[in-house]
């Protein structure tokens, strides 16, 4: 007999009274506590996107190269030619990283890696996007150090290079840091795997780690404001084991290579609940689970705890009954456990049993299609304005948001697997594809602006695409992570809508499909919450859409780099001296840059963004160990979009002009000497600029 839950438990599982009435309508009876917990997990913002699902329909998802569309599977997949494909996705682990930064960041990496190898892809690259309070605050410095350590330790242990990322500081992230992790995997077309739990009678095998009490209610925790109490919710944070994950990667890829699996699904947010429900939903089938068959690391765990546990390094495999011995033989060779915890059933139900007794029985569609979708009232509110930067050139180069993040990335292994071509000397990392001639370009970009969320979304796409174009690669696909405050506040809802519209407009204008993504809402903290003080006000993070960009480079020998190279080269601004965002102009500037690199016209190309032309020119000088003398009197601190600083031999300027017909083109000066000289702006040696830029963050910390 299925018992009824006490009414006072409804809020405990993140369910509102209106949603409880919806559950009653779908079930036509009262749910018990376990069933209520299943709804709470699957209907959490983190799992069902109930406040953003309708808005995301505006994103362009179709293109000839797209093999798996956004939302269809654990990661998007795109064709990159010659029978190869790339799987990629970016996800947030924000709340866990605020509570336990090392494990929060580490398990964020572990989770996104599982999303990618679930598709049959071998993970080949990691990237990240990180946001913290300004590092003059002790807790922000602590969070930065522990998050970076967690990312580095987990990725390094897996043997996956961390090839790119970004770090940004602003007071709005003091109580709620943002930790977005991205993974890229490589696979052959024929090795693409789906996660559907299909085939009545097929066995459900739980692979990998034992199930414990870590991470219970993690999905609902990530779907609520991070108040003062939230910082004490360490039991909601998972604990990772990268060595076990490495074994799991190799074992699962072997199982897939031998065609022993019908489907494969990772256990992420909401653990066994979401993995089994999503796998059943994709197949139009049902699942019957026996919780007593689940290996546990702790005693006396209830069915509810087993179903909601978010213990890491676990996978759910769908296996034909006669192939189970072969599967287990492979797993045993890798030292991994496997539990036969259930079977696929024809009835579209999730049935949870304990020692054969039914403890919960819910229609799959009620947990998925039945989830509510909200259109919260939207209204603009007061905006923070863009972050301010110093105007003194050396102070600008040493500013934490401008200077080199060497202190961060030197803790990451960037070259393991021996396929990384470029990282620090390019606007985007380059990773070789099999064959050694072609490469993919990868970067993450965010433009957290307080003045206009539409621009934040559009510029994130444009800057990421521009960085990829500066390597010579064609922007090919993108993934996104949308980090915002509460959508229940009218201003929060408006910010989310505006940013998605901006992101969609830029992706359409640049003809880049969105193949995967993640939405992270309720990134708010009570004032003083990060320090354990009494809550007096709520601070939301700046609207922070983050874009992970994939580019395709046909010939790695003809690639762009940031560094100035030859004395007497002309320094040229490709794009307008100033002006607002023009998406059509942006597309033309990027194409001209790519074409010029492909024809061997350019000796360098560097995106102009934060810190304006001054920072762009200084970085090209620093990385090339050569100076430059500039002539035009421009606003060198202007951060207008759609601009790329290039250098080339003077005799090739006519070719560039011909390729850039109709585009603004300004000769800025020449490469040479050992100083950067700009009239009425600066006259600095390369070495003093290098010292400020390379050591700025370390000195600030």
């Amino acid at each position: 007999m299925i018992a009824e839950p006490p009414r006072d438990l409804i809020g405990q599982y993140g369910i509102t009274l209106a949603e409880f009435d919806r559950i009653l309508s779908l079930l036509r009876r009262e749910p018990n506590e376990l069933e209520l917990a299943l709804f709470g997990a699957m209907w959490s913002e983190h799992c069902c996107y109930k406040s953003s699902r309708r808005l995301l329909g505006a994103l362009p998802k179709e293109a000839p190269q797209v093999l798996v569309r956004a939302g269809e599977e654990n990661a998007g997949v795109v064709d990159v030619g010659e029978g190869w494909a790339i799987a990629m996705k970016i996800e947030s682990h924000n709340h866990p990283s605020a509570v336990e930064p090392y494990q929060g960041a580490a398990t964020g990496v572990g989770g996104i890696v599982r999303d990618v190898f679930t598709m049959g892809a071998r993970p080949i690259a990691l990237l990240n996007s990180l946001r913290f309070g300004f590092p003059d605050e002790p807790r922000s410095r602590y969070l930065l150090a522990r998050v970076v350590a967690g990312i580095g330790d987990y990725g390094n242990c897996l043997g996956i290079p961390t090839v790119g990322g970004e770090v940004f500081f602003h007071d709005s992230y003091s109580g709620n840091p943002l930790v977005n992790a991205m993974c890229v995997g490589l696979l052959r077309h024929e090795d693409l795997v789906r996660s559907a739990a299909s085939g009545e009678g097929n066995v459900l095998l739980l692979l990998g780690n034992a199930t414990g009490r870590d991470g219970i209610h993690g999905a609902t925790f990530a779907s609520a404001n991070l108040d003062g109490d939230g910082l004490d919710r360490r039991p909601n944070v998972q604990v990772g084991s990268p060595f076990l994950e490495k074994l799991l990667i190799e074992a699962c890829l072997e199982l897939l290579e031998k065609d022993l699996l019908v489907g494969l699904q990772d256990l992420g947010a909401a653990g066994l609940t979401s993995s089994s429900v999503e796998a059943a939903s994709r197949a139009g089938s049902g699942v019957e689970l026996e919780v007593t068959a689940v290996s546990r690391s702790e005693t006396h765990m209830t069915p509810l705890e087993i179903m909601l546990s978010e213990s890491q390094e676990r996978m759910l495999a769908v296996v034909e009954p006669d192939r189970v011995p072969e599967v287990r033989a492979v797993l045993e060779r890798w030292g991994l456990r496997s539990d036969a915890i259930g079977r696929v059933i024809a009835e579209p139900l999730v049935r949870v049993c304990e020692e054969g007794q039914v403890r919960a029985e819910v229609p799959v569609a009620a947990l998925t299609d039945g989830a509510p979708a909200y259109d919260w009232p939207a209204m603009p509110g007061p905006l923070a304005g863009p972050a301010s930067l110093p105007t003194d050139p050396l102070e600008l180069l040493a500013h934490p948001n401008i200077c080199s993040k060497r202190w961060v990335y030197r803790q990451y292994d960037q070259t393991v697997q021996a396929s990384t071509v470029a990282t620090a000397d390019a606007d985007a990392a380059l990773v070789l594809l099999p064959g050694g001639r072609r490469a993919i370009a990868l970067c993450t970009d965010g433009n957290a602006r307080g003045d206009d969320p539409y621009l934040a979304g559009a510029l994130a796409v444009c800057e990421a695409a521009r960085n990829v174009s500066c390597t010579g690669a064609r922007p090919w696909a993108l993934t996104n992570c949308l980090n915002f405050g509460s959508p229940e506040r009218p201003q929060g809802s408006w910010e989310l809508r505006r940013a998605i519209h901006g992101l969609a407009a830029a992706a359409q204008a640049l003809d880049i499909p969105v193949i995967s993504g993640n939405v992270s809402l309720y990134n708010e903290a009570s004032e003083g919450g990060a320090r354990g003080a009494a809550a007096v006000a709520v601070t939301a993070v700046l609207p922070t859409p983050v874009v992970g960009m994939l580019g395709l480079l046909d010939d790695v020998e003809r690639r762009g780099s940031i560094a100035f190279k030859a004395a007497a080269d002309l320094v040229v601004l490709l794009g307008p001296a100033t002006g607002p965002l023009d998406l059509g102009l942006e597309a033309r500037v990027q194409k001209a840059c790519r074409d010029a690199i492909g024809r061997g016209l350019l000796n360098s190309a560097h995106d102009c963004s934060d810190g304006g032309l001054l920072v762009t020119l200084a970085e090209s000088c620093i990385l090339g160990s050569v100076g430059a003398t500039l002539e035009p009197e421009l606003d060198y601190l202007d951060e207008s979009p759609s601009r790329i600083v290039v250098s080339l031999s003077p005799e090739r300027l006519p070719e560039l002009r011909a390729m850039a017909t109709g585009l603004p083109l300004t000769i800025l000066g020449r490469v040479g000497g050992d100083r950067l000289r700009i009239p009425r702006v600066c006259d600095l040696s390369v070495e003093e600029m290098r010292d400020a830029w390379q050591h700025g963050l370390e000195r600030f910390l």
Side-chain angles (χ1 to χ4, degrees), residues 10 121 145 176 203 215 272 285 293 346 356 360 395 425 533 541 552 556 575:
I10 294 172
N176 199 133
V203 177
L272 189 53
S285 64
E395 289 182 15
D425 65 341
V541 300
L552 194 56
V556 75

Side-chain angles (χ1 to χ4, degrees), residues 310-331:
E310 294 184 10
S311 293
Q312 294 292 283
E313 293 86 38
R314 298 182 299 161
M315 304 290 289
L316 184 67
V318 184
V319 185
E320 294 174 352
D322 58 353
R323 308 299 296 272
V324 170
E326 295 175 80
V327 171
R328 283 188 155 154
V330 170
L331 294 167

Side-chain angles (χ1 to χ4, degrees), residues 486-515:
S486 171
E488 298 176 41
R489 291 186 299 104
Q491 181 173 346
S493 176
W494 175 78
E495 290 174 348
L496 178 63
R497 289 169 182 266
R498 286 281 293 167
I500 290 175
H501 289 158
L503 195 155
Q508 288 168 345
L510 300 180
D511 195 24
I512 309 170
V514 179
I515 66 168

